Amino acid sequence: MHHIANASLTDKVMSSGDSNPAATPTPCVDIQGDGRWMSLHNHFVSNSKDKEPDVLFVGDSLVQLLHQFEVWRELFSPLHALNFGVGGDETQHVLWRLSNGELAHISPKVVVLWVGTHNHSHTAEQICGGIMAIVQLIKDKLPKAYTLVLGVLPRGKMPNPLRERNAQVNKLVKDAVSSLPHASLLNVDPGFVHSDGSISHQDLYDFLHLTPQGYQAVCQPLHAHLKGLLEKQAEN
Amino acid sequence: MGDTRLISNPQRMSGDEINPAAVAQAVEDVQGDDRWMSQHTRFVQECKDAEPEVLFIGDSMVQLMQQYEIWRELFSPLHALNFGIGGDTTCNVLWRLQNGELDNIRPKVTVVWVGTNNHEHSAEQVAGGILAIAQLLTSRLPKTKVVVLGLLARGDGPNPLREKNAAVNGFLRSWLPRLGQAQFLDVGAGFVHSDGTISTRDMFDFLHLTAAGYRAIAKPLSDLLLQILDETPEEKRASLV
């Protein structure tokens, strides 16, 4: 009981925004000079005006790249899915986008959230707080939607601190959503880390981003899980 | 156009200042998973086992191409290796080429596509960096032909980076032919529409190409490669299917 009380207190602090930069809505500042982040955000907002998706994928480059490969057309187009992934996005960027129009014109039944691996200046606790802030925001804006948080994947060719951080994020998020009826965490790692601790470039071509083969391994179970969720939502 | 002294020595800008875009530099692991070095190490290892006819080197524009079907269709049959790393600048490519990624291989053609990530350098410096890469290739591989791809436009609408990339291409157009074995190929035609916009159908984030975007650039590129490979005297060339 004591542990649970502490966890929810930590969640409150970590997702309050005041003390957690990962949970404070923050747009990306254009330092390169072509304003692409804001262009993409505006594109998503206007693109959503005439669409009626049942599923919304939102997150970082792992979401964005998914949209480019055959697997999207095979598995997720048939589910009437929209893709609002932006490469490099951290939790606070996704939080800003969803707070500033990307949820304004749609009512998906399920939101698939995949973000956190790029939060390089934040601790696992802060990243969890950022993810939970997004979960709460989705609940506020789309009261009937279910949020499926995807576990952050391992990265790097060999064992390294980021793998530990990502695993810790997943553990913390799993605990945090366990009491929520409208959200859950799905581990989509099919076993990318081999027995010698290595990750293959055949699965993650730069030891971070998925190859089409890597996406197939991740998306087949994800697709099955999504279909189950959509059927359940339909029953309600 | 630009400082003609750069052609003979792209490491130096006018006034004999060093061109920072032509200084070899590895990427430091600040994130903590050492992925850049892991990718470099893998490429060096590939050089030990492979006998490529074509080598692609550059940034994410090169790297991502290998993830699409078009690579298997048009470039695998040419026995091509892909040494692209996302985020790379001319400095990073220079370092990789000087530190093992050219060992034990003798490609007939090298395709260079890099420069759009050189945010701290001027157009002239970036072009100088690309020129330095072309010179390094022709000196290490005297029989190789170098094809330098022009930098694409980027961003949703007109912006300073488009102008910069176009300026880089302008310098390359006039400098590269003087290198003899190097040529410039502009694959950017058609991406910018008459209203100045780029479509996400071609560049999903107004920078990186979609499958359709790659398809558009791959055809003229593969035509040129086939032409060069055809002109190259038989040494030990695998048959093209």
Side-chain angles (χ1 to χ4, degrees):
Chain A
M1 288 309 285
H2 185 62
H3 167 72
I4 293 169
N6 268 352
S8 51
L9 180 64
T10 310
D11 286 343
K12 282 200 176 67
V13 168
M14 283 294 136
S15 53
S16 72
D18 299 337
S19 47
N20 183 4
T24 309
T26 313
C28 248
V29 178
D30 176 31
I31 47 172
Q32 293 181 355
D34 54 8
R36 293 181 306 108
W37 191 87
M38 198 54 79
S39 295
L40 267 174
H41 166 66
N42 291 334
H43 172 74
F44 291 155
V45 174
S46 60
N47 200 32
S48 62
K49 286 185 180 149
D50 59 352
K51 302 276 196 315
E52 288 175 7
D54 287 332
V55 185
L56 173 69
F57 281 72
V58 68
D60 56 29
S61 47
L62 286 160
V63 173
Q64 185 173 47
L65 209 50
L66 169 60
H67 198 200
Q68 307 312 317
F69 297 135
E70 257 314 289
V71 65
W72 179 268
R73 198 190 332 234
E74 273 175 45
L75 297 181
F76 301 119
S77 295
L79 300 184
H80 305 284
L82 266 194
N83 187 306
F84 287 0
V86 176
D89 261 19
E90 304 177 38
T91 54
Q92 65 274 20
H93 303 132
V94 170
L95 197 53
W96 190 94
R97 293 197 281 120
L98 295 181
S99 305
N100 285 273
E102 289 183 19
L103 292 180
H105 310 289
I106 52 176
S107 321
K109 302 189 171 81
V110 180
V111 178
V112 180
L113 175 63
W114 208 8
V115 68
T117 199
H118 298 302
N119 281 63
H120 290 297
S121 51
H122 305 139
T123 63
E125 287 74 18
Q126 288 175 321
I127 299 171
C128 171
I131 290 170
M132 293 315 295
I134 298 170
V135 171
Q136 183 60 50
L137 178 79
I138 294 169
K139 174 91 170 55
D140 294 339
K141 291 205 178 267
L142 304 170
K144 297 203 191 115
Y146 190 95
T147 299
L148 184 63
V149 182
L150 301 188
V152 193
L153 293 178
R155 48 185 288 172
K157 180 160 163 62
M158 299 306 295
N160 65 81
L162 291 186
R163 280 200 202 169
E164 290 158 35
R165 183 204 68 183
N166 285 0
Q168 182 63 4
V169 167
N170 294 342
K171 182 175 180 304
L172 290 171
V173 171
K174 187 159 191 191
D175 288 345
V177 293
S178 60
S179 56
L180 302 178
H182 58 273
S184 61
L185 176 93
L186 182 68
N187 175 14
V188 291
D189 175 7
F192 285 135
V193 180
H194 298 157
S195 52
D196 65 352
S198 70
I199 283 177
S200 166
H201 70 275
Q202 316 258 29
D203 295 320
L204 300 176
Y205 64 83
D206 59 355
F207 310 109
L208 171 61
H209 294 104
L210 291 158
T211 61
Q213 168 183 313
Y215 272 118
Q216 281 291 341
V218 163
C219 291
Q220 293 291 345
L222 168 59
H223 173 256
H225 194 90
L226 259 180
K227 283 190 72 173
L229 277 176
L230 288 167
E231 273 153 32
K232 243 190 259 169
Q233 292 285 86
E235 285 163 20
N236 293 347
Chain B
M1 200 181 192
D3 187 348
T4 53
R5 280 174 292 175
L6 267 166
I7 296 162
S8 49
N9 192 1
Q11 282 81 12
R12 299 276 166 176
M13 306 304 297
S14 42
D16 280 329
E17 293 155 24
I18 293 190
N19 177 4
V23 175
Q25 190 164 47
V27 169
E28 212 191 308
D29 177 30
V30 295
Q31 294 180 354
D33 56 5
D34 213 20
R35 293 182 307 105
W36 191 85
M37 197 52 77
S38 297
Q39 291 172 81
H40 166 64
T41 302
R42 182 171 89 73
F43 296 154
V44 174
Q45 185 57 44
E46 268 195 90
C47 286
K48 299 190 173 126
D49 310 320
E51 288 176 6
E53 303 257 291
V54 185
L55 174 68
F56 282 73
I57 186 133
D59 55 27
S60 56
M61 306 303 293
V62 171
Q63 185 171 42
L64 204 51
M65 192 168 12
Q66 193 173 22
Q67 302 309 315
Y68 289 111
E69 252 320 284
I70 195 79
W71 181 268
R72 199 189 328 233
E73 275 180 45
L74 292 183
F75 301 115
S76 296
L78 303 185
H79 302 275
L81 274 191
N82 187 309
F83 287 1
I85 297 186
D88 263 18
T89 64
T90 53
C91 309
N92 308 137
V93 167
L94 269 169
W95 190 95
R96 295 197 280 121
L97 292 173
Q98 290 173 3
N99 285 273
E101 290 185 19
L102 290 178
D103 292 354
N104 306 309
I105 56 172
R106 277 204 289 274
K108 296 212 163 70
V109 190
T110 307
V111 179
V112 178
W113 206 9
V114 68
T116 200
N117 296 322
N118 280 60
H119 293 297
E120 289 167 36
H121 306 136
S122 68
E124 198 175 356
Q125 289 172 332
V126 177
I130 295 169
L131 192 65
I133 291 168
Q135 286 186 334
L136 175 72
L137 288 166
T138 53
S139 71
R140 282 286 306 267
L141 304 166
K143 299 204 180 113
T144 201
K145 297 278 194 303
V146 179
V147 173
V148 175
L149 298 186
L151 303 187
L152 298 183
R154 48 186 287 173
D156 190 6
N159 66 82
L161 290 188
R162 279 199 201 170
E163 289 158 36
K164 181 183 171 189
N165 283 2
V168 172
N169 293 346
F171 287 120
L172 292 174
R173 260 193 200 91
S174 61
W175 295 347
L176 279 172
R178 301 178 213 205
L179 263 195
Q181 281 161 265
Q183 60 183 291
F184 176 78
L185 181 65
D186 185 349
V187 289
F191 286 124
V192 179
H193 299 154
S194 52
D195 64 355
T197 61
I198 285 176
S199 168
T200 52
R201 285 195 173 81
D202 294 322
M203 296 185 192
F204 60 83
D205 60 355
F206 306 111
L207 172 62
H208 296 104
L209 294 165
T210 60
Y214 273 116
R215 200 158 281 279
I217 65 131
K219 191 68 180 50
L221 175 56
S222 106
D223 284 349
L224 177 60
L225 292 178
L226 284 169
Q227 183 192 318
I228 295 174
L229 290 169
D230 264 348
E231 288 166 359
T232 313
E234 287 282 345
E235 223 182 299
K236 185 187 56 169
R237 189 155 63 90
S239 60
L240 302 174
V241 174

